Amino acid sequence: MKRKLIAAIGIAGMMASIAACGGSDDNASKQDPKDRKGDLTVWLMVDAQSSWPELVKQTNADFNAKYPGVKVNVQYQQWGDKTKKLDAALSGDKFPDVVELGNTETMTYILNGALGEIDAKKYDNSDTWIEGLKDTCSYEGKLYCVPYYAGARVAIYNKDMFKEGTGSDQLPATEDELFKALDKVQDKYKKDNAFSSLYLPGRYWYAAMSYVAGYGGEIATYDEGSKEWKGALSTPEAQKGIQHFVDLVKKYNHGDLTKDEQDHANVMANEKAALLYGNGWEAGSVVDSENSGNPKLKDKIATAGMPGPNGKTLPSFIGGSDLATIAKSKNQDLAQEWISLFTNEKAQAALAEKDILPNNTKQLEPLKNKPETAASANAVPDAWFTPIAPGWAAIEKKETLEIMLLDILKGKSVADATKAADAEINSLINQVS
């Protein structure tokens, strides 16, 4: 896949800024580690603060054992405003040296020249990094970030509700069997008008695109002839998947159809849903009292592969995070070393112990047989990802897919809605912002 890295004045401006500020301080990098002084600023998302703070502490300790004169400042960020804060920081002179990025965010920062180049040989298990994560860090044969952890969406269900409705606490293996079970569960709880045997929010585009993938469709495809991306939602395969998703929302969601998936774990925690399609770790959120969960449901919530069309498991979006250095940081060598420690085999094992999917297939393999992680770990090899295209971030920002889904739920035909979505995708997807 070939695209021009420097394709707009904005990119040239960013590159000029980077050149002016310089990269790593070569003189400093040649110093004895014990003589290095200064600060290293690391931006991590709040997940690390709440779920594996001891790993951050250990990484800092290991780093300072080698660089006792360098102070590591870890600053935790919220997903909602992180990119806005990062953009503002990059335009000034106070920016992080290390930054965590969601894997759908990386391409924007690679294309605008914000990220430093990475040498994969410096990192444990780089030869077995999960391909879907490595792809989000790669551009024209170069690497610009390091996979941190992976995620996959699975079925999350209330075993007791299924047992009361069907006589079995196991999730059916096929979609046809699942529909029969959902009908029985819905009938069991029909007195509660807000209860959804399957809670699928209408703006949940990750789920909708999983059904698109289940029918062999794609969001967009790359045309080798024109060297451009083109929207593919109006293809027959994609339309079948979108229609399938919309039909499920209309039949089984008895809550607010216009919501997205951000609070669906709380819906299950409030016992208003028997089945969700969500990130594997959200099963823990359902019962976590510190995150509005319901501890009374402990041992009642389970995960499984989500039955999909054509007798197969529903393909999952491969989620996760990456870690990158900032190109104009003068501490890139230190930043790379901190990332290396934070993602080494020992660190990835610590994440795996918490049922977080590691960044490599070697350490992922044992999790395929662990009950708590089997569904998520087994979903990774066949997972799909958003188009690795210059303008994908603009499509997300404009909520193109969410608007398309809501239009269909309001009565617009799938054909008309997907045609309109493809037109907008075509106008945005090849642009470099």
Side-chain angles (χ1 to χ4, degrees):
M1 176 185 317
K2 296 190 179 294
R3 300 176 299 235
K4 293 182 180 179
L5 180 59
I6 309 301
I9 293 175
I11 302 303
M14 173 66 79
M15 296 302 288
S17 172
I18 291 168
C21 294
S24 294
D25 186 328
D26 290 336
N27 291 328
S29 65
K30 293 175 183 177
Q31 290 179 341
D32 186 296
K34 296 188 184 307
D35 294 332
R36 292 292 292 270
K37 304 292 182 183
D39 293 344
L40 185 74
T41 301
V42 177
W43 280 19
L44 293 178
M45 305 312 297
V46 291
D47 310 83
Q49 183 181 33
S50 61
S51 300
W52 47 91
E54 66 281 358
L55 176 56
V56 179
K57 184 178 180 180
Q58 184 61 56
T59 299
N60 290 342
D62 292 344
F63 181 86
N64 283 135
K66 183 174 181 178
Y67 299 98
V70 178
K71 181 181 179 181
V72 181
N73 299 310
V74 178
Q75 299 175 5
Y76 294 101
Q77 309 298 321
Q78 301 288 338
W79 285 108
D81 64 354
K82 189 274 304 295
T83 55
K84 183 177 180 180
K85 287 179 65 176
L86 180 59
D87 292 344
L90 289 173
S91 67
D93 58 3
K94 292 184 179 180
F95 43 82
D97 301 292
V98 175
V99 64
E100 177 182 346
L101 296 168
N103 60 350
T104 62
E105 299 169 344
T106 56
M107 189 53 61
T108 295
Y109 293 98
I110 290 173
L111 289 168
N112 69 20
L115 307 185
E117 191 175 342
I118 294 289
D119 181 359
K121 295 177 183 178
K122 295 181 179 180
Y123 300 89
D124 284 0
N125 295 316
S126 60
D127 57 337
T128 60
W129 278 343
I130 291 169
E131 202 65 31
L133 290 182
K134 184 179 179 181
D135 284 348
T136 69
C137 289
S138 305
Y139 184 80
E140 294 189 340
K142 296 182 179 181
L143 191 71
Y144 293 91
C145 52
V146 175
Y148 174 15
Y149 64 85
R153 284 169 167 76
V154 297
I156 302 171
Y157 68 102
N158 186 312
K159 294 187 292 184
D160 281 8
M161 286 182 172
F162 269 82
K163 188 169 185 177
E164 289 182 15
T166 69
S168 172
D169 65 359
Q170 299 295 307
L171 195 75
T174 69
E175 196 175 53
D176 287 343
E177 293 171 341
L178 176 63
F179 292 160
K180 293 176 183 177
L182 290 173
D183 291 342
K184 291 179 180 178
V185 172
Q186 190 67 49
D187 187 62
K188 178 70 177 179
Y189 294 90
K190 62 185 178 183
K191 291 183 180 179
D192 185 347
N193 293 330
F195 178 81
S196 304
S197 55
L198 168 61
Y199 183 72
L200 270 182
R203 295 177 63 241
Y204 191 3
W205 69 266
Y206 285 107
M209 295 306 108
S210 285
Y211 286 99
V212 167
Y215 279 99
E218 297 180 79
I219 299 172
T221 57
Y222 186 72
D223 187 292
E224 287 290 349
S226 65
K227 305 300 181 185
E228 289 187 333
W229 287 87
K230 296 182 179 178
L233 293 174
S234 55
T235 62
E237 296 83 2
Q239 288 185 356
K240 285 181 182 178
I242 291 167
Q243 185 65 64
H244 193 115
F245 168 80
V246 170
D247 289 344
L248 292 178
V249 172
K250 288 181 176 179
K251 181 174 182 179
Y252 293 113
N253 184 350
H254 296 279
D256 186 347
L257 300 186
T258 66
K259 297 183 80 171
D260 62 20
E261 76 279 13
Q262 294 302 313
D263 70 341
H264 65 178
N266 289 336
V267 174
M268 177 169 276
N270 290 325
E271 299 182 79
K272 297 295 183 180
L275 173 63
L276 305 176
Y277 179 60
N279 292 290
W281 55 263
E282 289 182 286
S285 298
V286 174
V287 301
D288 185 358
S289 59
E290 294 185 5
N291 289 295
S292 303
N294 184 355
K296 294 180 180 179
L297 296 180
K298 186 179 179 181
D299 300 325
K300 297 180 181 181
I301 304 301
T303 61
M306 184 73 168
N310 303 317
K312 298 180 180 180
T313 301
L314 187 67
S316 171
F317 169 78
I318 184 163
S321 277
D322 301 316
L323 294 161
T325 67
I326 297 302
K328 59 182 182 177
S329 166
K330 293 183 179 181
N331 296 318
Q332 283 193 61
D333 62 320
L334 297 177
Q336 289 196 38
E337 186 135 10
W338 191 92
I339 293 173
S340 179
L341 291 169
F342 195 56
T343 59
N344 65 19
E345 188 158 343
K346 182 176 70 173
Q348 291 291 302
L351 291 179
E353 288 178 2
K354 292 182 174 292
D355 298 336
I356 303 299
L357 303 186
N359 66 4
N360 64 90
T361 57
K362 173 186 171 183
Q363 291 177 281
L364 178 71
E365 199 62 31
L367 299 187
K368 292 181 179 180
N369 298 312
K370 186 178 179 181
E372 295 83 0
T373 56
S376 297
N378 282 295
V380 167
D382 298 321
W384 61 273
F385 192 67
T386 54
I388 304 177
W392 177 252
I395 294 167
E396 284 198 357
K397 185 175 182 180
K398 293 199 72 171
E399 299 189 340
T400 301
L401 303 184
E402 293 97 317
I403 292 170
M404 175 192 70
L405 294 172
L406 287 180
D407 283 346
I408 296 170
L409 286 168
K410 292 175 182 177
K412 194 170 187 176
S413 72
V414 171
D416 288 344
T418 55
K419 183 179 179 180
D422 275 349
E424 183 159 270
I425 288 172
N426 291 340
S427 72
L428 297 171
I429 198 165
N430 297 293
Q431 296 178 9
V432 181
S433 58

